[in-house]
Every structure is written in C-alpha cells, then in structure tokens.
Amino acid sequence: QAVGPAWTRGEIEAPGATKDMGGWTASVYTAEQQARLGVDEGGNKASAVSDPIKYSREFLLTVLRNKVGRKYPSLTGAFRAFDQDCRGYISIYDWQRTFRLFNINASEADIRNLVEFHGDPQGRVSFQEFAAMIGSNSKPDHVPVPVGRSPGSVDRQLLCDGIRNQINWKWASMREAFMGLDRDRSGYIDQEEFGQALERFNISVTDDMLESIMHMFDKNQDGRVSYNDFLDGMMSRRYAM
C-alpha cells in the first residue's frame, strides 16, 4: 500500500508553494499547478462533480504573459495565433480555445473578467489592447494605422499604451501605481512627476508630447492629475479616442 503524498513517490511533480497551518508548514500546489494537473491544493485528484475552478484575472494574465513571452517571437505573432479566424480581434471563444491549449479550462465569466478593461462590449480585444494587456518589451512587427487617424494621434496612442504597459508591470494595483507616481504625496500627479515617471520607464518624449499626454489624463485641465483622473485615463481608454 502506498504511503505518503504521491509527489514523494515521484508519481506527480512536487508542490510549488507552502502554507502556514498554524504551527507547521504544509507543501501545497499553486493555482497554476492545480489547473494544469487537475488536482486540489493537497495534490488529490479533483472530483469531476466538483464546482468548476474560477480563475482570477491576475492568474490568467500571468499565464498569458508567460506563454506569450516564451512561445511566440513577437506580439504580432501571438495575436495572429490567437485570432485564428483572422477577424482582426480576439473573441471570447478565441480566448477560451487558447487557454485550453494551456491546459486551463476558463469559463466565459473568467474571460470577461480578464478583458474587462481591454475588450469592447462583446469582449473582443483588438491588437492595440492585446499589446496593452501583455505589457511585453517585445515589439510588434507591424502596427496598422487605424483608418481616419492622423499619424500624430496614432503615435500618441501608442505612447499612452506604452505608459500603461509599464504601469501594469510595475504595480499590482492602480492605487499603488498612483502613489508611486505621486512622489511628493500631494494627492495629485503634476507634469514634472509625470515626466520623471517616463524617465524611469525609459520613455523619451518632447515637452509638447508630455504636455499633450497630461491633457489627456487631466480631465478638468487644472495642471494636475487626481486619482479619479488617473483611473479614467488608465481604464476607460478615453485617451485612445
């Protein structure tokens, strides 16, 4: 008769995390391992009649960034692979099909939560929004210029996408990001602080472009960005109009 956890006998990979049990520490399987191996936290095979696993946005985004960075040579290549029907966007179904390739059976609700800030009302994600989600240092082979937009407006949109990418990578929440940019703790981000942030992100802009970006985030045009202005600029995509 087998004794001890299956992973100690080499029947399954070892747990990737630990958990404080109040006096002792247990080895447990991470959410990613549970989804991939079909086990629960303790390494037991998940029951077929149990409730389906609910995947958080943070978990799916981490897996997505990991896979894109390792599996595809560029963001454009990844986008084309996900958009198998070549419709110019990634649909809810495309996302589910892609995550199944990663051994993750994400529900429609999971995917809608993932694309909440990047998809249209139908949950479809364009290349620009896909690039913003991934936040990768990889550069796309070609970024199509949207019809009806001048090159200047496209450059400005791409720049704002780059800023958002950096912020999404550096901070776990919008509140932490705002506090990180508000260096003097005034409760606002002024143009100088915005410029300092861009320098830390290794993003070079002219003074005119910096002022233009500030105007897109500064909703009431008082020369400073409040937390609500910052949220609006980061999440509602007002600047991408």
Side-chain angles (χ1 to χ4, degrees), residues 150-221:
S150 66
S153 67
V154 173
D155 289 343
R156 186 171 58 187
Q157 179 185 342
L158 292 177
L159 178 59
C160 287
D161 282 342
I163 294 171
R164 180 165 60 180
N165 292 347
Q166 292 287 343
I167 288 173
N168 285 337
W169 267 114
K170 188 172 179 62
W171 289 286
S173 70
M174 290 297 102
R175 172 64 69 181
E176 288 182 16
F178 183 82
M179 293 175 66
L181 298 179
D182 176 22
R183 307 281 281 195
D184 63 3
R185 298 295 184 265
S186 66
Y188 297 91
I189 303 171
D190 59 29
Q191 187 163 319
E192 181 180 357
E193 289 171 325
F194 225 120
Q196 291 171 349
L198 296 187
E199 289 180 4
R200 296 198 300 274
F201 297 158
N202 292 318
I203 297 177
S204 300
V205 296
T206 64
D207 290 341
D208 289 342
M209 183 62 78
L210 176 58
E211 185 174 349
S212 177
I213 296 170
M214 273 294 294
H215 282 172
M216 284 186 285
F217 280 89
D218 180 11
K219 190 172 183 179
N220 59 3
Q221 303 300 301

Side-chain angles (χ1 to χ4, degrees), residues 128-148:
Q128 295 284 1
E129 291 302 319
F130 176 73
M133 286 178 67
I134 301 303
S136 172
N137 291 328
S138 302
K139 295 183 185 286
D141 303 320
H142 171 67
V143 179
V145 175
V147 175

Side-chain angles (χ1 to χ4, degrees), residues 53-190:
I53 297 174
K54 293 182 175 64
Y55 298 100
S56 69
R57 178 178 184 272
E58 292 73 19
F59 169 72
L60 292 179
L61 199 52
T62 297
V63 171
L64 182 63
R65 287 171 171 167
N66 228 346
K67 295 293 186 180
V68 168
R70 295 181 179 182
K71 189 175 178 65
Y72 303 96
S74 70
L75 290 181
T76 305
F79 183 83
R80 288 173 179 165
F82 294 177
D83 176 25
Q84 293 187 6
D85 298 324
C86 300
R87 290 169 295 188
Y89 60 81
I90 305 173
S91 67
I92 296 290
Y93 172 73
D94 291 333
W95 283 117
Q96 289 181 295
R97 177 173 53 188
T98 297
F99 275 108
R100 279 197 292 271
L101 295 176
F102 302 154
N103 296 315
I104 295 175
N105 191 25
S107 68
E108 179 178 344
D110 294 333
I111 299 300
R112 288 193 177 277
N113 185 42
L114 170 68
V115 303
E116 179 181 3
F117 302 126
H118 299 279
D120 66 10
Q122 284 73 48
R124 299 175 299 192
V125 176
S126 67
F127 174 78
Q128 295 284 1
E129 291 302 319
F130 176 73
M133 286 178 67
I134 301 303
S136 172
N137 291 328
S138 302
K139 295 183 185 286
D141 303 320
H142 171 67
V143 179
V145 175
V147 175
R149 289 187 185 173
S150 66
S153 67
V154 173
D155 289 343
R156 186 171 58 187
Q157 179 185 342
L158 292 177
L159 178 59
C160 287
D161 282 342
I163 294 171
R164 180 165 60 180
N165 292 347
Q166 292 287 343
I167 288 173
N168 285 337
W169 267 114
K170 188 172 179 62
W171 289 286
S173 70
M174 290 297 102
R175 172 64 69 181
E176 288 182 16
F178 183 82
M179 293 175 66
L181 298 179
D182 176 22
R183 307 281 281 195
D184 63 3
R185 298 295 184 265
S186 66
Y188 297 91
I189 303 171
D190 59 29

